[in-house]
Amino acid sequence: MSSAAVTSSEFLDPHMLAKLRGLELRAARIVEGYVAGLHRSPYQGFSNEFAEHREYTPGDDLRYVDWKVFGKTDKFYLKQFEAETNLICYLLLDISESMQYQGPTAPLSKLTYAQCVAASLAYLILHQHDSVSLATFDDDVRQLVRPSSSPTQLKQLLHVMEGTSAERKTRTGPIFHELAERLTRRGIVVIVSDLFDNPEAMLAGLKHFRHRRHDVIVVHLLDPAEIDFPFQHVTLFKGLEALGDVVTEPRSLRAAYLQEVGAFLQQVRTGCRAQQIDYLQVRTDERLDQVLTTFLAARARRIR
Amino acid sequence: MNITVDRFSLILAFGFGSAAMLGWLAAAAAPLLIHLWSRRRYREVPWAAVTFLLAALRKNSRRIQLQQWILLAMRTLMVVLVVLAIAEPHGQNLAAGVGDVPTHKVIVIDTSFSMAYRESDASLLTKAKQLAGELVAQSGTGDAYTVITLSDRPRQLVGRDMVDRSSIVAHIEAIPQTQGGANLAATLDAVSSALELDAKERDRWTRQDVYFFSDMQRKTWAADGAGVRLGELAKNASISAVDVGAPRATNLAVTELRSAAPFATVGEDVAFDATLHEFGDEPRKEVRVEFLVDDAPVGEQTIDVPANSDASVRFTHRFRDAGSHAVAVRAASDQLEIDNTRWLVVPVEQQIRVLCVAGEPEDAKYLAAALAPDPSTESPIRPQVISESELVDTDLTGYECMFLSNVAQLTADETERLTHYVDAGGGLAIFLGDRVQAESYNALARGEAPLLPARLTDVRTEVQFGVDPLDYRHPIAAPFRGRERAGLLTTPVGRYFRLEIPNEHSAAEKALALPNGDPLVVTAPHGRGRVVLVATAGSLSSVDRTNGEPWTTWPAWPSFLPVVREIFAFAVGGQHEQWQAMIGGPLTATLPFDRGSGDFELTRPDGRKTSLPVAVSSRDQPWHYDETDVTGIYSLGRGGALVSQFAVNVDTHESDLAQIDPHQLPAEIKVRSDWRSANGVVASGVLSEATWNRPLLWAAAALVLMELCLAWLFGRGAA
């Protein structure tokens, strides 16, 4: 099926997204599909200093139409204001081995989904002329791309992301502390991870970001199988990240497992809320617009 | 007997219609094997959230294990129940029948004396009655009952017309212990006739069940033809046998008591031999055996009785008074006491009177001398010689034995008196001679019950030296065994009647023969007495008229005296038997004609008295009494004076408590021998047929449902 045969918003569905190859294409389709569904254009500044005119596109705020130019030329032009370029978005992408997991019903692995989320955010941010930075981590910081708003930044980020391989264990707590020290300029920190680590250490790391006055958005990615535990027959669960193997009859263990997972999610959610961190739990079979909406809300909050 | 029934104790035993199917019980291991196999066959998945899985596992492993065991047990039980159902289990219980089709139940209760065997406090009969009572008490209201005893004389105590169950139970409770045996054939006849219903009754009772409550003695149940008869009964009714017997029961019995001498006289030592038998695989040590005369203990010995064997004990007693004496041997008590005592009635005489009838005055001389060799001393035998013409006027009742020697012929009256005399137990020995008219004698050898054991044919003159003792088999010859020099083997016989034993006279026996094979002494029982016929003369006065030689010089030969005395002993040997009887057998006697002394009275061992009216007749009256249902001494008296006594003993065939192997019975007869103990009352057997495969299948189906529910519930616990 060609991408032309479907409307762009359908690419928000990970099942459709899975049919596309290339992170850039996926990011473009996600953002376009998302933007097409919005009533307001996200591509606008919020500064008071006039910068230039640009042609009206449907969805633009009519408040910024330059009626004088319309009177002279009979064409709609919008007044564009010089954007404040102090917005920096740090994308922290978990590339530990557990992110490789792809359940039987999931269209994408957690890592691929996370890459799509990060890429589409980068695409959106760069189109708003904001700066974006990317860090990949597992038990250490693997790659750190400095923040930039240049149009070539997207290429670089996509290149980094596509070159990742998930092989190692997670160590979120120390990594977050380290990054909080290294990311000195205030900005929006978007963490895309399954957070399968010690929750206390991880929350302590998040707190460090907040201490540095970053806005933090935690995108907690979980595979549907990890939430529903749909297994029926005796299964050998081969632990990723060298956690050992478990043979069990999953039906009898399902309730207890779900209880454990529920307790973990609750702890993370409560911890984030306590630190005024935007927490977003996302299943890898969910549409991606939720993530973008949450991000834009955070951005709008920051600019105001 | 208070019948309280624990409903669960009523299920007494069960069996399987297709026992081979029980092999499939091995399939019960299948759920376990499948469980183990599935544990080894798993799929592999990579998993990220192992931490949570491990935590869940750590907290719930016990619960999961328990749930798995519960489900596994239910699945195993399911298989077991299905296999059991396929194996067609059938059990019987007392409560069965409630709500069943109206049934005619024939209850047969063994009352033979072996049922008096006591285990703990209760006898087997008590247990049998209790179980039978429970059967009646627990049966359906539409059922009818017939109660029959299994005994020598089977009796029907309850008929189908009796509807009140409590009175039926009361009848069962009142069944007495008999001291007789068990006549299975007669009982089966009674059962068979009880099962014959008319058309109306067949509509009313669509089913008939027969229940035997018995100790299942081999001697009773392995009787000839019993299996066939039971098989025939099984065509019309469902037959169950409730084995109330004690497995491996042992029993000691006094099987025989007899006098070693043929007669007893006052002042003479009389030896009594008792035989004890241990019916069991263990020898019985130091058994105390008492000897009683007229109820007074006069001797005691202690003996060991080997397992499954006899042991003999001899007591000697000297009687001081003439008359009828009751002798008993009593062994120490065991669990079955009835057969531990054996009685014998011994008529003790001052002297034994023998009547010798001589054809010629000299003909009885040697006989009398042989019987009482020294007339000067007080001999226990007192022979009296009369001529043949005096016979007709002589009262024979006082004589234990009669010898006829060379009596020419016997008149019809004499023949009748002799026959009556022998019938009543008298001994008759006949020596022939030259005066004997064979035709007159041969009249006695004819008819249905001939007095003479052989016919006289021709007289043979053939001097023969020697007598063939015929392997000393006969009691008359037996004492000569090992005493070849006693003269028997060289006895000379020159002339004799050739005796011919009729083919139809099966009881006649040759005691001695001549070397050419012709019989010399022939004996036969007749009535309660015995007859001995000697082919040659008993004196030297019978002579061959052709040469003047005597028929035989035997009376002068050393063997004559012992042979005559053995003939006498043999002939009177039947005397004691008229005073002995087996239980259930008749007592018979000839009551003397004596109009003046009032009625006779019989005192039974249990103290009951029976009056016997004297028939109005001018002759001695034969008398008999049938109600001998208790062992012991029966005394016949008149006007306070003892006339005679009778000893009634048990038939020790019944003493062998060995049980029949149920496989020897027809397959339709279900013999159950499971024992349960409920409230101290030992119960056994299976009383009513009930098949259990349907309830088992229902139970299996219920388990399937339960298993599904539980599996869902356990799974749901996960949700």
Side-chain angles (χ1 to χ4, degrees):
Chain A
M1 191 164 78
S2 74
S3 57
V6 291
T7 59
S8 54
S9 67
E10 288 181 26
F11 286 103
L12 290 168
D13 182 354
H15 290 91
M16 294 299 290
L17 201 58
K19 293 171 184 165
L20 297 180
R21 288 282 166 269
L23 196 53
E24 185 177 1
L25 181 60
R26 283 176 174 173
R29 286 281 185 272
I30 293 164
V31 175
E32 282 166 13
Y34 176 69
V35 168
L38 288 180
H39 294 295
R40 289 180 61 198
S41 169
Y43 307 128
Q44 57 190 351
F46 299 95
S47 171
N48 292 324
E49 288 180 38
F50 175 77
E52 56 184 341
H53 281 100
R54 74 168 170 82
E55 261 195 287
Y56 173 81
T57 53
D60 282 342
D61 196 337
L62 290 177
R63 285 182 295 171
Y64 303 108
V65 173
D66 192 336
W67 298 109
K68 285 179 182 173
V69 175
F70 173 70
K72 286 175 185 170
T73 63
D74 238 5
K75 285 178 181 171
F76 292 104
Y77 279 94
L78 261 62
K79 288 185 278 186
Q80 288 218 300
F81 300 92
E82 186 131 356
E84 300 273 353
T85 55
N86 60 349
L87 180 71
I88 302 173
C89 179
Y90 302 100
L91 299 173
L92 308 188
L93 182 61
D94 184 354
I95 57 163
S96 66
E97 195 184 1
S98 65
M99 291 292 285
Q100 256 185 4
Y101 181 70
Q102 180 178 357
T105 57
L108 300 168
S109 72
K110 288 188 281 184
L111 183 61
T112 312
Y113 194 97
Q115 285 171 338
C116 289
V117 167
S120 50
L121 282 177
Y123 187 98
L124 188 64
I125 293 159
L126 287 171
H127 271 75
Q128 293 178 41
H129 309 288
D130 287 332
S131 294
V132 63
S133 166
L134 174 73
T136 58
F137 66 92
D138 39 44
D139 59 348
D140 204 349
V141 179
R142 293 293 155 199
Q143 298 267 0
L144 180 59
V145 181
R146 297 205 162 273
S148 165
S149 59
S150 83
T152 57
Q153 177 77 341
L154 182 65
K155 289 268 182 204
Q156 193 183 352
L157 295 185
L158 295 178
H159 176 73
V160 167
M161 280 193 274
E162 281 173 332
T164 55
S165 62
E167 287 164 356
R168 304 177 73 115
K169 295 184 72 169
T170 323
R171 220 152 53 87
T172 50
I175 298 299
F176 288 172
H177 282 298
E178 183 188 338
L179 286 172
E181 289 297 325
R182 287 171 70 174
L183 308 178
T184 48
R185 292 178 61 189
R186 275 186 63 211
I188 300 174
V189 176
V190 180
I191 299 164
V192 187
S193 168
D194 58 10
L195 303 177
F196 285 168
D197 196 5
N198 181 1
E200 284 83 12
M202 188 267 295
L203 287 170
L206 292 179
K207 196 172 186 178
H208 201 160
F209 283 123
R210 290 294 294 152
H211 182 70
R212 291 284 179 181
R213 302 182 63 200
H214 291 294
D215 277 339
V216 182
I217 300 172
V218 171
V219 179
H220 192 178
L221 278 187
L222 288 168
D223 192 277
E226 287 168 344
I227 296 172
D228 299 337
F229 205 61
F231 306 99
Q232 295 291 324
H233 305 288
V234 177
T235 308
L236 169 65
F237 293 96
K238 292 184 81 67
L240 300 171
E241 300 190 16
L243 284 170
D245 299 345
V246 180
V247 180
T248 188
E249 214 270 293
R251 274 182 302 185
S252 56
L253 207 58
R254 184 164 181 265
Y257 167 83
L258 294 185
Q259 202 175 359
E260 292 292 324
V261 170
F264 167 72
L265 295 179
Q266 185 61 34
Q267 187 182 4
V268 173
R269 192 181 294 123
T270 313
C272 289
R273 198 169 293 153
Q275 297 172 38
Q276 294 174 321
I277 293 169
D278 287 329
Y279 172 82
L280 192 63
Q281 185 190 314
V282 180
R283 291 161 60 112
T284 55
D285 58 351
E286 273 179 37
R287 290 160 65 91
L288 286 99
D289 45 0
Q290 229 195 120
V291 185
L292 301 181
T293 306
T294 309
F295 170 77
L296 288 177
R299 180 180 174 277
R301 205 164 51 230
R302 171 158 287 275
I303 287 172
R304 272 185 228 120
Chain B
M1 183 168 60
N2 182 23
I3 295 171
T4 51
V5 184
D6 174 3
R7 207 162 176 79
F8 292 101
S9 74
L10 297 177
I11 298 168
L12 299 167
F14 62 89
F16 292 96
S18 312
M21 295 304 292
L22 292 178
W24 285 99
L25 277 178
L32 182 66
L33 294 176
I34 290 170
H35 175 76
L36 293 175
W37 178 70
S38 67
R39 296 282 301 185
R40 295 184 66 82
R41 268 180 59 90
Y42 45 75
R43 55 189 63 182
E44 286 186 15
V45 294
W47 188 248
V50 176
T51 319
F52 310 120
L53 202 55
L54 282 173
L57 199 60
R58 203 164 42 240
K59 291 177 186 168
N60 292 277
S61 60
R62 279 190 159 210
R63 178 184 59 84
I64 292 167
Q65 215 164 25
L66 182 68
Q67 289 174 350
Q68 281 178 344
W69 277 116
I70 290 172
L71 291 178
L72 201 59
M74 293 179 81
R75 288 163 192 164
T76 306
L77 192 58
M78 263 185 258
V79 177
V80 169
L81 288 176
V82 170
V83 172
L84 286 178
I86 294 170
E88 296 174 18
H90 51 78
Q92 295 181 339
N93 57 57
L94 288 165
V98 178
D100 282 350
V101 292
T103 307
H104 174 216
K105 295 180 176 176
V106 179
I107 296 170
V108 183
I109 298 180
D110 188 352
T111 63
S112 62
F113 84 72
S114 60
M115 293 288 284
Y117 183 89
R118 285 187 171 274
E119 214 180 41
S120 63
D121 289 339
S123 73
L124 301 185
L125 180 64
T126 309
K127 294 169 200 163
K129 289 196 288 189
Q130 170 136 4
L131 284 173
E134 287 171 3
L135 170 65
V136 174
Q138 294 294 311
S139 295
T141 48
D143 295 349
Y145 307 91
T146 299
V147 180
I148 295 172
T149 61
L150 169 55
S151 56
D152 277 334
R153 296 178 190 174
R155 286 197 301 149
Q156 181 176 318
L157 304 172
V158 171
R160 294 189 291 273
D161 50 342
M162 191 178 284
V163 289
D164 179 15
R165 280 191 284 174
S166 60
S167 65
I168 295 170
V169 172
H171 271 83
I172 290 173
E173 288 172 8
I175 292 175
Q177 172 70 60
T178 69
Q179 298 186 356
N183 185 343
L184 185 62
T187 307
L188 293 183
D189 285 342
V191 171
S192 185
S193 53
L195 288 176
E196 285 170 11
L197 305 179
D198 60 28
K200 200 173 162 189
E201 289 174 319
R202 273 198 296 276
D203 287 344
R204 187 167 168 197
W205 299 297
T206 48
R207 182 190 160 108
Q208 298 203 82
D209 292 345
V210 180
Y211 303 97
F212 289 95
F213 293 84
S214 169
D215 56 358
M216 305 310 293
Q217 257 185 303
R218 191 192 299 139
K219 289 270 163 57
T220 303
W221 289 89
D224 285 346
V228 178
R229 290 294 311 277
L230 285 167
E232 285 170 5
L233 281 184
K235 290 176 189 165
N236 301 323
S238 160
I239 300 187
S240 306
V242 180
D243 178 7
V244 298
R248 295 180 297 283
T250 63
N251 179 34
L252 176 71
V254 181
T255 55
E256 193 179 13
L257 173 60
R258 61 185 183 85
S259 164
F263 51 85
T265 51
V266 173
E268 294 282 323
D269 280 345
V270 185
F272 295 93
D273 291 322
T275 306
L276 282 76
H277 189 98
E278 169 60 31
F279 296 92
D281 295 331
E282 291 290 323
R284 212 173 275 252
K285 301 281 185 195
E286 297 182 352
V287 177
R288 198 164 63 87
V289 186
E290 273 187 297
F291 180 64
L292 301 97
V293 175
D294 296 327
D295 269 346
V298 294
E300 184 179 307
Q301 292 186 36
T302 302
I303 59 165
D304 293 342
V305 186
N308 287 313
S309 296
D310 286 338
S312 293
V313 58
R314 170 168 281 204
F315 293 98
T316 308
H317 186 68
R318 184 175 293 183
F319 292 97
R320 300 189 184 285
D321 310 307
S324 175
H325 290 274
V327 170
V329 164
R330 186 160 66 202
S333 68
D334 60 0
Q335 284 159 298
L336 180 58
E337 286 202 19
I338 292 175
D339 56 6
N340 284 19
T341 308
R342 204 155 185 88
W343 287 271
L344 182 72
V345 166
V346 186
V348 178
E349 308 286 345
Q350 280 293 343
Q351 281 188 313
I352 304 294
R353 293 175 67 202
V354 180
L355 185 65
C356 298
V357 186
E360 290 288 330
E362 289 294 305
D363 280 336
K365 178 178 140 190
Y366 292 94
L367 289 172
L371 293 168
D374 187 358
S376 62
T377 58
E378 190 71 10
S379 165
I381 303 173
R382 197 177 82 195
Q384 184 184 349
V385 180
I386 60 166
S387 70
E388 63 178 63
S389 58
E390 291 171 292
L391 176 58
V392 76
D393 297 323
T394 309
D395 179 10
L396 303 180
T397 42
Y399 298 99
E400 307 292 324
C401 187
M402 282 179 68
F403 277 80
L404 304 187
S405 181
N406 203 14
V407 173
Q409 58 183 343
L410 295 165
T411 64
D413 187 38
E414 287 167 343
T415 304
E416 191 193 332
R417 294 189 65 198
L418 282 179
T419 306
H420 190 240
Y421 170 76
V422 177
D423 274 346
L428 175 64
I430 301 170
F431 281 78
L432 302 176
D434 55 1
R435 298 181 68 249
V436 165
Q437 293 176 18
E439 203 45 48
S440 164
Y441 276 72
N442 284 343
L444 301 177
R446 284 194 283 271
E448 277 190 14
L451 185 63
L452 283 195
R455 271 199 302 275
L456 282 52
T457 57
D458 54 325
V459 178
R460 285 203 167 182
T461 306
E462 189 177 326
V463 178
Q464 301 195 50
F465 287 94
V467 163
D468 181 358
L470 302 174
D471 288 339
Y472 304 101
R473 284 192 302 269
H474 197 278
I476 292 174
F480 292 93
R481 183 190 293 277
R483 297 189 174 89
E484 285 77 10
R485 298 179 67 182
L488 181 70
L489 303 181
T490 57
T491 302
V493 176
R495 196 173 165 80
Y496 62 94
F497 273 99
R498 202 166 60 79
L499 300 181
E500 190 181 86
I501 300 171
N503 289 336
E504 64 271 19
H505 203 319
S506 56
E509 233 183 324
K510 272 199 280 188
L512 296 170
L514 293 167
N516 64 3
D518 287 340
L520 178 63
V521 178
V522 180
T523 67
H526 188 274
R528 282 209 304 269
R530 290 170 180 173
V531 178
V532 183
L533 179 60
V534 183
T536 189
S539 72
L540 300 174
S541 51
S542 279
V543 292
D544 181 354
R545 297 186 200 291
T546 55
N547 54 16
E549 290 291 316
W551 276 37
T552 174
T553 55
W554 188 17
W557 214 256
S559 64
F560 186 71
L561 183 140
V563 169
V564 167
R565 291 188 78 112
E566 289 306 325
I567 287 174
F568 163 73
F570 178 77
V572 300
Q575 291 271 311
H576 290 181
E577 288 176 12
Q578 71 167 304
W579 312 117
Q580 328 300 336
M582 281 299 173
I583 193 134
L587 306 180
T588 59
T590 303
L591 301 183
F593 166 65
D594 182 359
R595 197 172 291 235
S597 305
D599 286 352
F600 286 93
E601 189 175 58
L602 184 74
T603 307
R604 291 160 46 92
D606 52 10
R608 276 164 51 199
K609 293 183 192 302
T610 307
S611 185
L612 308 167
V614 178
V616 180
S617 166
S618 60
R619 302 187 55 177
D620 295 350
Q621 285 296 305
W623 161 85
H624 78 103
Y625 177 75
D626 282 333
E627 305 292 314
T628 51
D629 51 2
V630 182
T631 57
I633 300 296
Y634 290 69
S635 305
L636 186 64
R638 188 182 204 188
L642 184 67
V643 176
S644 56
Q645 294 185 107
F646 301 88
V648 173
N649 288 302
V650 292
D651 180 358
T652 48
H653 268 84
E654 187 72 18
S655 298
D656 185 358
L657 303 179
Q659 294 186 293
I660 191 169
D661 179 353
H663 298 296
Q664 290 178 260
L665 290 170
E668 299 89 346
I669 317 300
K670 293 162 192 74
V671 180
R672 308 291 183 228
S673 55
D674 290 52
W675 285 77
R676 302 267 176 97
S677 188
N679 304 327
V681 178
V682 181
S684 95
V686 174
L687 304 184
S688 181
E689 188 65 15
T691 52
W692 294 346
N693 48 353
R694 196 176 288 259
L696 284 174
L697 283 174
W698 278 115
L703 267 183
V704 171
L705 275 177
M706 276 174 67
E707 195 267 348
L708 286 174
C709 289
L710 277 181
W712 176 78
L713 202 67
F714 294 159
R716 187 173 155 273

